[in-house]
Amino acid sequence: MKLNFTGFSDPGLIRSSNQDAFYIDPEGRFFIVADGMGGHAGGEQASRIATQEIQGFLVSHWDDSESTPKLLEKALWEANKAIVHDQQQHPERSDMGTTVVAVVFRSPDCPWCAHVGDSRLYRFRESQLQLVTEDHTWVARAIKIGEITEEEARNHPYRHILSRCLGREDLHKVDVQPLDVKIGDRLLLCSDGLTEELNNQNIAEHLGKSPILETASLSLIEAAKAQGGHDNITIVMVSLEENAPG
């Protein structure tokens, strides 16, 4: 199996800075998207620390005997610890934090995903889009227990309230899960700047228009901006393809 991948980040039309960050391992071993919060400097710092710490930990421990889910979980805990330490050293950034979603292809046949917050992972297979991750937000929990509908959640005043993020001493859980993938799938990691503007049907329509990752990614970003572009928009896309013969 061969991986093709690309990534883009756009500040959108309203924000003066970009507090998102992403990292693509040059060898295609892992992919990260983070969405910072806590003001201009704080949000940028939190997402940068998260991507750097996760990247550094995975590279340093890639060949360890540790299982992939445990390795990925530890990487996110290290990122959380580093952000908390930075907060302690810089009280002006004490409220900063970040969401994160990461995918690791340590074993190509069984990749794993970890996430905290509302940055998402989708799988696009045979023209069908599936949300793989579950948002750690107030509205996601309210939908789950039937208090509100998905449509109501899109404009709910509490839709930005996170129940979990990196940068909290009381963070109690990191979600880690194996991914069901096969040749022909595309994976989409994104910040909520995309999903705030486009629903799942919109996203699927744009993904279906082009098999070229760069074209599809830029189409999604432009569509999100056409709907207002109220937040930073970050996309990482990965396609799973057959190895070339020979």
Side-chain angles (χ1 to χ4, degrees), residues 46-59:
S47 61
R48 182 189 64 80
I49 291 173
T51 52
Q52 288 184 349
E53 289 292 326
I54 294 168
Q55 178 262 337
F57 188 88
L58 291 176
V59 169

Side-chain angles (χ1 to χ4, degrees), residues 138-152:
W138 184 92
V139 294
R141 181 183 177 277
I143 292 170
K144 197 169 187 178
I145 63 177
E147 286 188 2
I148 62 174
T149 66
E150 290 192 19
E151 194 57 39
E152 289 170 335

